[in-house]
Structure formats: C-alpha cells, structure tokens
Amino acid sequence: MKRLNRKTCVVTGAGRGIGAAIARRFAEEGARVVVTDKDLPAAAVVAKEIGGQARLLEVSQEGHWAEFAAEFPRIDVLVNNAGVTGFEEALVAHDPEHARLADWRAVHRVNLDGTFLGCRYAIGAMRAGKQGSIINISSRSGMVGIPAAAAYASSKAAIRNHSKTVALYCAQEGLNIRCNSVHPAAILTPMWEPMLGEGPDRAERMAAFVADTPLHRFGTVDEVAAACVMLASDEAAYMTGSEITIDGGLLAGSVAPPKQVG
C-alpha cells in the first residue's frame, strides 16, 4: 500500500517550486491532492499532471480560507508552503535599519498570517476525524539571523514557534493532529532567481551562496518533498512539535571545507 493512500492532502503555493514537488510526491504516494496557489493557471498545470484538483487560494486572505473550508470541510494533511521573501518584485531593502514597515508587513502577511490561517483551518477540518498532519514550511532562516532579509527571517522564526504551539494545543484538545515544521536552507527554486540572475556570473553567485554549506551545493525540491511525505504519513505518528532541518549540514557546526589532496 502506498504511504498516503486515499488521504486528502492540501498544499499551498503548489504552482511551482517546493510546493509543486510536494504535490507530485503526495500524488505518487496515493494521496488525493488539492493544489492551491494564488496563480491558478500554474496550480492547474500541476493538478492536471498529477490527477489532482486546483484551487485559487490567497493564503493571507481570511475570506479565501472560509470559502475553501466550505468546499473542503474534511482533510487529512495540510502543507502550509506558500511564502515570499520580499524580493520578488525588486531588490528592496530588508535590513533592520532601512526596511520599510509596509515591506515588513507584506512579508509577514503572507508567511505568518497565511500559516496561522492555514493551521486554524486545518484544525477545524481535521477535528471530526480527530487526526491529521499539519506541515509548516519554515526555513533555516527561521533559526538564525539574516541581516539582509529581516522580515523573512522573522516570519519563518514565528512559523517555527507557532508549529509547536499548534502541536501542544491539539494534544491538549485530545486530538491526534500533529504539527511539525520543515526548515530548508538553499533549495534551488524560482524564489532564488532574483538573487541569482541570468548574467555570466550566475555560476559564481550560486557557488557563493553555498560556499559555507558543508555539502557545497543547493538542495533540491525533491529532497524537501521526501521529508514532507514522511511527516504526512502514519510513519511519523509519534512526531509532533518537531522540526526537520534540510540544509546540507549548515547548522551542524563549523564549515567543512573540501580536503586538500597532495
């Protein structure tokens, strides 16, 4: 039997990148996947590919969640993946000294408010069955300071903490609804494109971003999706309030440079 056989799984921000990879892996494992995104055409492409359903969902909009809940009142798994860095439109200042309040709030509105609303919806959609799995996509940036991306780091740190709060709340309520967070570091997705660019120095930029990573490479979306399959499955039945870091060893300690030969 497949690991997610007949489970109804909702993935936000699944029109591309990590979300799309999670949706594909869930479908391969037998899940009935609802692919949501603010870009409905992109979600529809992924849904058609995997035999799922596509829905428009702006995660920061409470009304969108209310409409979604009316259509999908019972689910088994929710992955709160939708998120922004704040650099999608332009390389604006996001450091603690120069960031504009409007830009700070815009990042938190999607990343943090969206996760809060998603968790609230999921608890209600899983309560009748008294079980389920909520997976919140945080970031390595939620575990350390990031001077040039203060809002992103702050929002992801809050997601890490809120995941634990949700886990404890569900346990208090006598519900077997698990909530865990996943913390990817440098995963090669379209989100990185504004920072990598298309110029002749792209390869150098990529190497610079992972220079301090012990495994000296970007991670892949499939590596993140594999962790999410495990958390969504019954194999992780005793995991709640936990966090999984997927960072190539970045937080393990000091940098491990390649051994010099000769």
Side-chain angles (χ1 to χ4, degrees):
M1 183 179 295
K2 295 184 177 181
R3 297 159 78 188
L4 303 180
N5 194 46
R6 301 185 65 81
K7 290 184 183 291
T8 298
C9 302
V10 177
V11 186
T12 70
R16 62 177 188 168
I18 291 174
I22 294 170
R24 292 186 181 102
R25 284 297 302 274
F26 279 10
E28 290 171 5
E29 293 291 345
R32 296 176 293 222
V33 185
V34 184
V35 181
T36 78
D37 203 287
K38 66 178 183 179
D39 183 348
L40 182 56
V45 170
V46 176
K48 182 177 180 180
E49 174 190 337
I50 66 175
Q53 301 179 68
R55 292 295 184 273
L56 174 68
L57 182 59
E58 288 266 11
V59 296
S60 63
Q61 302 299 313
E62 189 170 17
H64 278 218
W65 281 107
E67 293 173 5
F68 190 82
E71 185 176 5
F72 297 96
R74 293 281 298 272
I75 65 169
D76 300 293
V77 178
L78 171 68
V79 182
N80 283 310
N81 167 76
V84 297
T85 62
F87 300 114
E88 285 77 14
E89 302 300 326
L91 293 177
V92 300
H94 268 290
D95 63 83
E97 182 180 7
H98 302 100
R100 297 189 312 148
L101 182 59
D103 293 331
W104 168 274
R105 286 176 172 168
V107 171
H108 282 79
R109 188 177 304 118
V110 175
N111 295 357
L112 184 53
D113 294 357
T115 297
F116 159 71
L117 291 168
C119 288
R120 191 177 71 179
Y121 154 72
I123 294 170
M126 297 172 183
R127 180 175 279 278
K130 294 188 176 181
Q131 63 181 349
S133 175
I134 302 170
I135 304 168
N136 294 328
I137 305 299
S138 179
S139 171
R140 190 275 303 197
S141 299
M143 306 175 85
V144 298
I146 306 293
Y152 181 75
S154 172
S155 68
K156 292 298 186 176
I159 290 171
R160 178 193 187 195
N161 186 272
H162 191 61
S163 300
K164 298 178 188 299
T165 297
V166 170
L168 293 176
Y169 172 80
C170 290
Q172 280 184 338
E173 292 288 299
L175 303 170
N176 188 25
I177 298 174
R178 301 175 291 106
C179 185
N180 298 287
S181 58
V182 177
H183 299 256
I187 306 298
L188 197 57
T189 68
M191 187 177 285
W192 280 87
E193 292 306 317
M195 292 171 276
L196 295 177
E198 296 293 339
D201 61 344
R202 178 182 173 90
E204 293 179 10
R205 285 176 176 268
M206 289 182 68
F209 274 117
V210 297
D212 291 338
T213 301
L215 294 188
H216 298 287
R217 67 172 176 86
F218 277 83
T220 70
V221 293
D222 288 334
E223 288 166 331
V224 180
C228 291
V229 168
M230 186 272 291
L231 289 174
S233 75
D234 295 338
E235 297 167 9
Y238 201 52
M239 289 183 67
T240 193
S242 299
E243 52 199 44
I244 295 179
T245 302
I246 305 173
D247 68 351
L250 195 59
L251 294 180
S254 58
V255 177
K259 184 177 181 180
Q260 298 297 319
V261 179

